[in-house]
C-alpha cells in the first residue's frame, strides 16, 4: 500500500514512476567516489549540512560570501 501511495506522489508531481522499479532511470551522478574502510563497522553519522555546503549550498562561516544560483530543472 505504501509503494502504491509513493507512486501516486510521483505521478502527482509529474515525475517518472518507472524510477521506483528501475533506479537506473534516475539521473546519474557525473562523479562517483568510492570510500574504502580499513576495518569492518557501520556508518554512525553523516553531516548532511556539511556535505551540502561542500557541494555549493550555503557557506562555511558567517562572514563568507554567499553565491546565489538559480537552478532550473
Amino acid at each position: 500500500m505504501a509503494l502504491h501511495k509513493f507512486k501516486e506522489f510521483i505521478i502527482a508531481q509529474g515525475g517518472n514512476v518507472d524510477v521506483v522499479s528501475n533506479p537506473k532511470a534516475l539521473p546519474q551522478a557525473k562523479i562517483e567516489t568510492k570510500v574504502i574502510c580499513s576495518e569492518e563497522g557501520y556508518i554512525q553519522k553523516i553531516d548532511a549540512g556539511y556535505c551540502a555546503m561542500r557541494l555549493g549550498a550555503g557557506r562555511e562561516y558567517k562572514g563568507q560570501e554567499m553565491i546565489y544560483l538559480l537552478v532550473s530543472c
Side-chain angles (χ1 to χ4, degrees), residues 8-30:
E8 286 180 3
F9 289 154
I10 294 171
I11 292 167
Q13 295 179 36
N16 178 1
V17 76
D18 293 336
V19 300
V20 174
S21 57
N22 180 16
K24 292 288 184 187
L26 287 167
Q28 301 299 302
K30 293 178 183 171

Side-chain angles (χ1 to χ4, degrees), residues 39-47:
E39 57 187 67
E40 251 184 67
Y42 298 92
I43 296 172
Q44 294 184 7
K45 180 181 176 185
I46 295 176
D47 186 341

Side-chain angles (χ1 to χ4, degrees), residues 32-43:
E32 181 178 312
T33 302
K34 294 185 181 199
V35 178
I36 300 171
C37 186
S38 61
E39 57 187 67
E40 251 184 67
Y42 298 92
I43 296 172

